[in-house]
Amino acid sequence: MITQPADALTLSELLGYAEPDWPRWRDWFDRNPAALDVPIDIAGAGCARDLVKHIVLVDLRYAEWLLGEPLTPPDGLDALSSAALLAVADRAYSMLHRVLEATSDARWADVMPFPKPMEHVKPTRRKCFIHVVVHSTRHWAQLATALRAAGHA
């Protein structure tokens, strides 16, 4: 068993670190809606909107998965307006908070086999939670760099 120092970062603190990024991005896109159409080449996204959709969908699907809820289909956000897409992210973060509240200490070690076609991947519930938070943080940083390169402050 791995012991952690007394000052180790908790999952709640990790989510608290990442979560403020989302409202800043939502507010920024509210002021700069045309930036959603900026062409980019990150994670297979052709434009900023596609990357935001990817980030939000991964946040939502991981939260659903960790809560044992039905998963939103991969194309489930495709028809959403910009405002509706941005609102889904608020829901995803609310669900991630529910994951923290609903998961006992003992359950963080549970193995969470991925859905098909990646059922051979079997991370722990803790690793899945950490991954989704780091995943979105990484992509927001990539998006910031791409938008600055395209002339957006």
Side-chain angles (χ1 to χ4, degrees), residues 56-101:
V56 171
L57 182 65
V58 169
D59 286 351
L60 179 63
R61 285 175 56 96
Y62 265 75
E64 291 168 339
W65 182 44
L66 289 165
L67 288 168
E69 296 182 4
L71 299 182
T72 298
D75 62 352
L77 305 184
D78 288 354
L80 295 182
S81 68
S82 298
L85 175 64
L86 301 178
V88 170
D90 291 331
R91 191 171 106 217
Y93 273 103
S94 175
M95 292 173 75
L96 289 170
H97 280 283
R98 282 183 31 221
V99 169
L100 288 174
E101 294 164 7

Side-chain angles (χ1 to χ4, degrees), residues 14-134:
L14 179 65
L15 184 60
Y17 165 79
E19 189 171 14
D21 286 345
W22 170 242
R24 284 192 295 266
W25 277 106
R26 183 189 55 228
D27 294 346
W28 190 86
F29 280 123
D30 283 346
R31 293 188 311 275
N32 302 279
L36 285 164
D37 298 317
V38 168
I40 61 169
D41 183 20
I42 301 167
C47 66
R49 178 186 320 275
D50 291 342
L51 183 60
V52 171
K53 193 181 311 174
H54 168 75
I55 296 167
V56 171
L57 182 65
V58 169
D59 286 351
L60 179 63
R61 285 175 56 96
Y62 265 75
E64 291 168 339
W65 182 44
L66 289 165
L67 288 168
E69 296 182 4
L71 299 182
T72 298
D75 62 352
L77 305 184
D78 288 354
L80 295 182
S81 68
S82 298
L85 175 64
L86 301 178
V88 170
D90 291 331
R91 191 171 106 217
Y93 273 103
S94 175
M95 292 173 75
L96 289 170
H97 280 283
R98 282 183 31 221
V99 169
L100 288 174
E101 294 164 7
T103 307
S104 67
D105 288 345
R107 291 207 54 223
W108 286 111
D110 290 354
V111 172
M112 297 285 297
F114 273 47
K116 290 184 179 187
M118 295 187 52
E119 64 274 10
H120 62 282
V121 179
K122 296 178 170 80
T124 63
R125 180 177 295 277
R126 179 181 179 82
K127 186 171 184 176
C128 291
F129 189 89
I130 291 168
H131 173 76
V132 72
V133 175
V134 171

